[in-house]
Amino acid sequence: MFLEQQRFLASQVRAFLRDRYNLDLANIVIDQPPSVEMGEFALPLSFELAKRLRKAPRKIAEEIVAELPLPDGFEKLEVAGAGYINARLKRDVAAKALAGDTSIAIVSHAGEGAANVSGKILVEHTSINPNKAAHIGHLRNAILGDTFVRLLRSAGHAVDIQNYIDNTGVQVADVVVGFSHLEKKSKLDIADLIASTPRFDYYCWDLYARVSQWYEQDKEHLKARQDALHAIERGSNEVSEIAELISTAVLRRHLETMDRLDIEYDFLPRESEILRLHFWDAAFEMMKQKGGLYFETEGKNKGCWVMTRPKSAPASPSEEVEKSGPDEDAKVIVRSNGTVGYVGKDIAYHLWKFGLLGRDFGYRRFYQYPNHHEVWISAEDGEPDHPHFGNVAAIYNVIDSRQSDPQNTVIEALRLLGYTEQAAHYTHFSYEMVALTPRCALELGYEVSDEDRAKSYIEVSGRRGFGVKADDLLDKLIAAAKKEVDSRHAELDDAERTRIATQIAIGALRYFMLKFTKQSVIAFDFKEALAFEGETGPYAQYAVVRATSIFRKAGIDPEQALAAEIDYARHFADTSGTEIWELWLLAGKTSFIVEQCIATTEPAFAAKHAFQLAQQFNNFYHRHHILTEADEDRKRFLLATAAVVHRELIRVLAVMGITVPLVM
């Protein structure tokens, strides 16, 4: 409702400016007044027009207010301050429109961002090295990525979800070294271990930490890593077969872990196929032909293929003097020994994503979720009938902020190749790390030094084996939530209490990971995440449960409450009308918030909206005795207010991947 009215107002003002002043403004800025008593929208355009029209802003505002036909659904326009134009909605009309809004899809036009494209959007997230169990930092990536997928789909976009698997890298090689050199296990031994160990990824977690210690004991041991790496990259040998066995088993565990959070994928592209299907060879020729790469013959990068620097205009004539000598800071793509760096393979991979490489993966079925959704994996020789992946219109890569430089290099490579539109629709969805509070580390059984106890957070480290495995975290959260549910609902059977506890725990975890802006370091804390008060998932869930209880006791469904005949004008006009209208107005902003999340790649806005809506609803609940209200029309009005909040809270929690139990 709010977003639609804002767009309608902007279109009416734009048309008026064109007719009255012969001005065509592409963007009409619309803010909100300091308080709802002043209206729902504030337009500062008079300040922008002052120089063009050579008039005082207030004078321009007065002309517009006097001459602009009042748009449908608006009660009045008025001048405020030095030249603002405030617009006031007809509250009863807006409320009726919002009450009747039963659509689930939220149409979005997210400005100039990558979502403003026609065509399929690719979101790549999670991308855990398949060498050990997923940890708490991986959960932030997966939850951010999955939430962004839900936001895009709620806005009507077609989305492919990819999870890139680096199954030929150092981390996998280290676990192979661990099995071969520390445990002396053969391929058959490892296969037996996988079959007999339900959480094989946990076994690899401990082994990975032991291998790191083994390297530190004697640097000569690092030769084993290099030998394993080369063998894995070559393929068709026992070491590469062991790596395939390990990485595939760990990958299956990762999918099972993420499925606990209702996080799914469509396609798992692997680095092994990027290497063996020679994606880089095709990209290499393309970049050489188009001048994106050159062979360096001198300096520190002698013998390397380096990426051409983009040309920029000189700031002054004196800067036109050509620099002599090699570009020492140029980005090396192919090293002097002929090996391709990570960025080179990534360039080839992203050319494939945009359908520009001229090559494709083979595809085969890999995993089926309980809901029968199938995940496909890359292969050298795949199945003849398969879904089509790649050739997308826009890309969002959910990768932590430490990868900003390689991400920027890929974007620049696309530009050098002449693919400027694709480069503009490539978004690095960057975020910061997850750490632990000292209290959380102690609760998990870690030894915490006095120095670390004084810190606000402690960084995790997979190589040191210090961190929270994702499954352990979920298990602990569910156990803690179940204690609370057991104490409140002993009348329910154990299976039902477990289901409720799981919904609460997952809601708590997802909300905690989403409420912080992407560029904030998160210090995870069990007590804070599971709290039923404050800015938490359980708090937002409980507001929905509270509203559901009202309808159950009233013997009416929320849909019936919204469909009732109500004199909205009467109730918004009384003394409590403004306070309740603010709740309706906030509920009507869900589609606006979704658009804001997409345009800024910032899901934290959704979390903030859910909290504010829950908070205002709880205030409303305590101020108004809905079930005992004697005035039947007012009772219907109060029930409709609870129903619209109930619906919009469920909607915004759904795009965050949070479901709501029947009781808490």
Side-chain angles (χ1 to χ4, degrees), residues 6 9 44 47 101 351 424 462 476 497 499 519 521 527 546 654 664:
Q6 177 176 289
L9 176 61
F47 300 98
D101 177 17
L351 287 169
K476 194 170 182 67
R497 294 199 304 271
R499 277 194 294 272
Q519 301 311 318
V521 173
K527 187 175 181 181
R546 173 171 271 168
M664 287 179 70

Side-chain angles (χ1 to χ4, degrees), residues 157-172:
H157 295 288
V159 184
D160 269 357
I161 313 164
Q162 290 189 186
N163 177 0
Y164 181 78
I165 310 301
D166 182 1
N167 61 336
T168 66
V170 170
Q171 289 80 5
V172 170

Side-chain angles (χ1 to χ4, degrees), residues 336-644:
S336 57
N337 63 3
T339 59
V340 186
Y342 164 79
V343 174
K345 290 177 281 188
D346 214 26
I347 291 168
Y349 173 42
H350 283 85
L351 287 169
W352 168 84
K353 284 183 179 181
F354 279 121
L356 303 171
L357 189 65
R359 297 195 181 187
D360 200 1
F361 292 105
Y363 301 91
R364 59 180 173 83
R365 291 175 178 85
F366 180 73
Y367 184 87
Q368 188 176 72
Y369 292 103
N371 64 5
H372 304 298
H373 175 66
E374 285 189 317
V375 184
W376 292 73
I377 197 167
S378 61
E380 291 183 64
D381 297 304
E383 300 176 30
D385 298 320
H386 58 79
H388 180 71
F389 299 105
N391 196 23
V392 298
I395 296 169
Y396 289 91
N397 285 339
V398 185
I399 306 175
D400 75 49
S401 58
R402 292 169 294 183
Q403 297 299 314
S404 292
D405 183 60
Q407 287 289 297
N408 290 334
T409 301
V410 175
I411 293 171
E412 191 54 48
L414 289 170
R415 291 198 185 101
L416 286 169
L417 289 167
Y419 301 123
T420 53
E421 184 178 349
Q422 287 83 355
H425 290 147
Y426 180 123
T427 302
H428 175 200
F429 191 118
S430 172
Y431 67 94
E432 284 293 341
M433 68 174 182
V434 182
L436 305 177
T437 63
R439 178 172 64 185
C440 183
L442 288 166
E443 287 175 355
L444 288 164
Y446 287 107
E447 290 186 15
V448 180
S449 66
D450 291 340
E451 181 184 355
D452 281 342
R453 289 183 191 218
K455 295 178 180 177
S456 56
Y457 63 82
I458 308 170
E459 291 187 34
V460 299
S461 169
R463 289 195 178 276
R464 290 190 290 117
F466 177 77
V468 186
K469 300 181 189 74
D471 281 308
D472 283 352
L473 177 62
L474 282 166
D475 292 343
K476 194 170 182 67
L477 284 169
I478 291 168
K482 189 162 185 297
K483 283 184 182 179
E484 188 70 30
V485 175
D486 287 346
S487 67
R488 295 183 181 210
H489 298 286
E491 76 283 2
L492 299 175
D493 64 44
D494 189 67
E496 181 62 22
R497 294 199 304 271
T498 299
R499 277 194 294 272
I500 293 168
T502 301
Q503 285 179 285
I504 293 170
I506 290 172
L509 176 60
R510 292 189 70 123
Y511 191 97
F512 193 90
M513 291 293 186
L514 293 169
K515 75 175 182 176
F516 299 95
T517 58
K518 297 177 302 174
Q519 301 311 318
S520 303
V521 173
I522 293 179
F524 188 82
D525 186 88
F526 287 108
K527 187 175 181 181
E528 182 183 347
L530 275 171
F532 275 58
E533 294 297 326
E535 196 172 350
T536 67
Y539 180 77
Q541 287 172 314
Y542 189 70
V544 179
V545 170
R546 173 171 271 168
T548 301
S549 175
I550 292 170
F551 300 121
R552 185 169 58 248
K553 291 175 182 177
I556 187 173
D557 291 331
E559 294 77 13
Q560 293 173 312
L562 288 170
E565 285 294 324
I566 299 165
D567 185 355
Y568 285 104
R570 169 201 164 197
H571 299 297
F572 284 131
D574 72 14
T575 53
S576 67
T578 297
E579 165 234 318
I580 296 179
W581 170 243
E582 286 180 342
L583 184 53
W584 277 82
L585 187 61
L586 184 62
K589 289 182 179 178
T590 302
S591 57
F592 174 80
I593 296 298
V594 167
E595 177 172 281
Q596 189 180 31
C597 290
I598 293 172
T600 60
T601 61
E602 184 53 270
F605 292 122
K608 181 64 70 176
H609 180 61
F611 171 65
Q612 290 175 341
L613 200 49
Q615 189 177 47
Q616 286 199 28
F617 173 74
N618 286 331
N619 292 337
F620 160 81
Y621 172 84
H622 290 298
R623 286 178 187 151
H624 304 280
H625 303 291
I626 301 171
L627 297 174
T628 57
E629 174 58 55
D631 183 331
E632 282 301 315
D633 190 60
R634 181 164 180 80
K635 184 176 182 178
R636 287 194 295 271
F637 172 63
L638 296 176
L639 283 167
T641 302
V644 79

